[in-house]
Amino acid sequence: MRPILGREIRSQAIVVTEYDPGHVLSIEATVPLIGRAPGGFLFEGVGAATRLARWGEIDLGRAERLLGPVVVRLLRGGWRAELRNLKGLLEDARRPSGHVP
């Protein structure tokens, strides 16, 4: 849950629509006032590392010209924060128990 335009979205429902371990996780969110929002994560092996990409779509209808740029900035900022958190969790999981950086 995170605030969007000053309001916390609590009633968002997310359904996994495709899962291929190590390759793709697709979801479809139903968001109040916006509707259906498909998206997902793509995993790509790069040497010994993994590249993670996130994608999403939202149909704003006739309001897209007006709201589109604002929604894109909000989503990208939120996604960056989520990916930073995920990276931190993954890096912490790889550290030996009791390790302090």
Side-chain angles (χ1 to χ4, degrees), residues 18-70:
E18 179 183 5
Y19 179 60
D20 183 3
H23 299 285
V24 66
L25 171 67
S26 296
I27 61 172
E28 184 170 297
T30 303
V31 184
L33 303 175
I34 294 175
R36 190 179 71 79
F41 301 88
L42 301 173
F43 304 88
E44 176 187 1
V46 180
T50 301
R51 176 177 292 134
L52 173 64
R54 172 135 190 210
W55 63 274
E57 300 174 17
I58 295 177
D59 182 5
L60 298 173
R62 295 185 302 184
E64 189 164 341
R65 285 187 62 157
L66 177 65
L67 296 178
V70 173

Side-chain angles (χ1 to χ4, degrees), residues 57-95:
E57 300 174 17
I58 295 177
D59 182 5
L60 298 173
R62 295 185 302 184
E64 189 164 341
R65 285 187 62 157
L66 177 65
L67 296 178
V70 173
V71 171
V72 166
R73 278 195 300 274
L74 287 170
L75 288 175
R76 284 187 179 156
W79 288 356
R80 276 190 212 103
E82 289 173 358
L83 291 174
R84 270 193 310 271
N85 290 342
L86 177 59
K87 183 178 187 217
L89 289 169
L90 294 172
E91 289 173 348
D92 287 346
R94 287 192 306 207
R95 288 192 186 104

